[in-house]
């Protein structure tokens, strides 16, 4: 049976538009792709694994939507360039870009190798930059457009994911810079910052992390995880004309978790540096 996506937005909202969704083969990216296609967009799915992309493309087509796909590692400049060759040859114009692709692994900072650090920063920060730059230079500088980048909720740091939080903080700042630089071309650049979301990405974390997730839920005022659809809806809003005056902004989708958090246990340790006193006896 075909998968029907029940968006709250108007069915023809993106009719005639072409929107690229990176990481569109799984999780939040798959949900965004389905929602945009259900609203009339032709969705171009881009990620590294052909199998996932083919599956989602078929799902979308069976649901009556339009999609195509291109296998691409967003860390590689030539592959990003080839993705835009493909999309522009097929579709002529690109109206929207969702930079959803990314990833990380959980590790205390002191155990992250240089290779692991580079991989996470290159995928998330450099990959997002390459996609934004190519979208602008190849189309949006002439035609305008809307870009939505993917953050994690990292405003208080992110113990256990130092590499990803640093990269996402970079993306948040990049989002602001591009919003100003590209406003003259009618390009809006925004971001979403999911907190703890029940998605296929979460399932990839090791078993040892499960108790941490249960603790994280207790630290969310809403006392539950978010859904992929709740992230997708924010992305779709930011792509839509309803957000025409919003650029350089980041929306948290976190059940107020960022406002109330103690997710990383700090044991009693007695290792705080001795208190500093300016005045003392001679
Ligand atoms: N999803 C996760 N990492 C990716 C990458 N480097 N390129 C494309 N999609 C990805």
């Amino acid at each position: 049976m075909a998968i029907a996506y029940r968006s709250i937005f108007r069915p023809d909202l993106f009719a005639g538009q072409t929107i690229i969704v990176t990481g569109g083969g799984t999780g939040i990216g798959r949900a965004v792709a389905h929602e945009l296609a259900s609203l009339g967009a032709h969705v171009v799915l881009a990620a590294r694994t052909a199998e996932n992309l083919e599956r989602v493309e078929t799902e979308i087509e069976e649901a009556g939507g339009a999609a195509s796909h291109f296998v691409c590692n967003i860390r590689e400049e030539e592959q990003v360039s080839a993705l835009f060759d493909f999309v522009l040859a097929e579709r002529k114009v690109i109206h929207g870009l969702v930079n959803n692709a990314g990833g990380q692994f959980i590790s205390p900072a002191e155990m992250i190798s240089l290779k692991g650090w580079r991989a996470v920063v290159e995928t998330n920060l450099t990959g997002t930059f390459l996609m934004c730059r190519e979208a602008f230079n190849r189309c949006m500088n002439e035609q305008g457009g809307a870009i939505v980048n993917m953050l994690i909720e990292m405003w208080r740091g992110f113990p256990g994911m130092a590499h990803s939080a640093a990269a996402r903080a970079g993306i948040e700042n990049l989002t602001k810079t591009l919003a100003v630089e590209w406003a003259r071309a009618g390009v809006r650049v925004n971001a979403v910052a999911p907190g703890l979301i029940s998605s296929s990405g979460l399932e990839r974390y090791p078993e040892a992390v499960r108790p941490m997730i249960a603790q994280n839920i207790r630290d969310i005022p809403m006392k539950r995880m978010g859904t992929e659809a709740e992230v997708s809806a924010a992305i779709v809003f930011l792509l839509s004309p309803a957000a025409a005056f919003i650029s350089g902004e980041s929306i948290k989708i976190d059940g107020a978790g960022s406002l109330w958090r103690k997710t990383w246990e700090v044991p009693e340790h007695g290792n705080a540096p001795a208190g500093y006193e300016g005045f003392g006896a001679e």
Side-chain angles (χ1 to χ4, degrees):
M1 207 172 64
I3 296 168
Y5 197 97
R6 290 178 297 130
S7 176
I8 63 145
F9 295 97
R10 205 179 63 211
D12 63 348
L13 192 56
F14 295 98
Q17 292 201 17
T18 297
I19 302 178
I20 301 174
V21 181
T22 66
T26 53
I28 292 169
R30 170 175 169 267
V32 176
H34 269 278
E35 180 159 17
L36 290 170
S38 80
L39 303 173
H42 178 106
V43 178
V44 182
L45 308 159
R48 284 176 306 180
T49 313
E51 199 186 345
N52 292 337
L53 298 178
E54 282 159 12
R55 186 178 335 109
V56 176
E57 182 179 326
T58 304
E59 285 172 4
I60 288 173
E61 284 165 355
E62 284 175 0
S68 48
H69 75 273
F70 192 84
V71 175
C72 171
N73 184 342
I74 58 166
R75 285 157 64 172
E76 302 296 335
E77 193 172 28
E78 315 77 61
Q79 293 187 34
V80 170
S81 178
L83 165 65
F84 282 85
D85 289 344
F86 167 79
V87 182
L88 289 168
E90 191 191 35
R91 306 294 308 164
K92 310 283 180 275
V93 179
I94 298 159
H95 302 86
L97 166 63
V98 181
N99 280 315
N100 161 78
Q104 57 270 310
F105 54 91
I106 294 179
S107 172
E110 66 271 26
M111 294 174 69
I112 299 174
S113 66
L114 179 59
K115 186 164 173 251
W117 175 271
R118 282 192 174 139
V120 172
V121 172
E122 279 175 23
T123 299
N124 293 293
L125 180 56
T126 309
T128 297
F129 166 70
L130 290 175
M131 287 295 300
C132 287
R133 190 195 65 185
E134 209 65 8
F136 185 78
N137 287 339
R138 300 286 292 272
C139 183
M140 291 186 180
N141 189 14
E142 297 284 325
Q143 307 278 344
I147 298 175
V148 179
N149 293 328
M150 183 62 73
L151 308 177
I152 55 177
E153 191 289 289
M154 49 62 205
W155 277 267
R156 292 201 239 174
F158 205 125
M161 288 201 199
H163 41 22
S164 187
R168 310 293 183 151
I171 298 172
E172 195 229 356
N173 203 268
L174 176 69
T175 299
K176 292 174 178 170
T177 300
L178 299 183
V180 174
E181 289 196 11
W182 296 349
R184 63 174 160 76
V187 178
R188 295 184 302 106
V189 189
N190 290 293
V192 293
L196 191 61
I197 303 297
S198 177
S199 76
S200 60
L202 199 65
E203 280 153 27
R204 282 198 289 273
Y205 290 134
E207 197 56 46
V209 173
R210 295 289 141 90
M212 249 169 92
I213 292 173
Q215 177 61 46
N216 288 3
I217 293 172
R218 284 194 287 277
D219 286 342
I220 297 169
M222 298 282 190
K223 300 293 178 188
R224 69 164 172 85
M225 289 196 248
T227 67
E228 291 174 349
E230 287 163 346
V231 181
S232 181
I235 293 171
V236 170
F237 164 70
L238 288 171
L239 290 171
S240 81
F245 202 50
I246 301 177
S247 196
E249 195 51 70
S250 298
I251 299 181
K252 296 185 193 98
I253 304 126
D254 72 345
S258 55
L259 304 175
W260 185 54
R261 192 169 70 176
K262 184 174 73 68
T263 57
W264 185 264
E265 205 56 50
V266 181
E268 293 305 320
H269 56 75
N271 289 329
Y276 169 72
E277 301 292 347
F279 292 105
E282 281 289 303

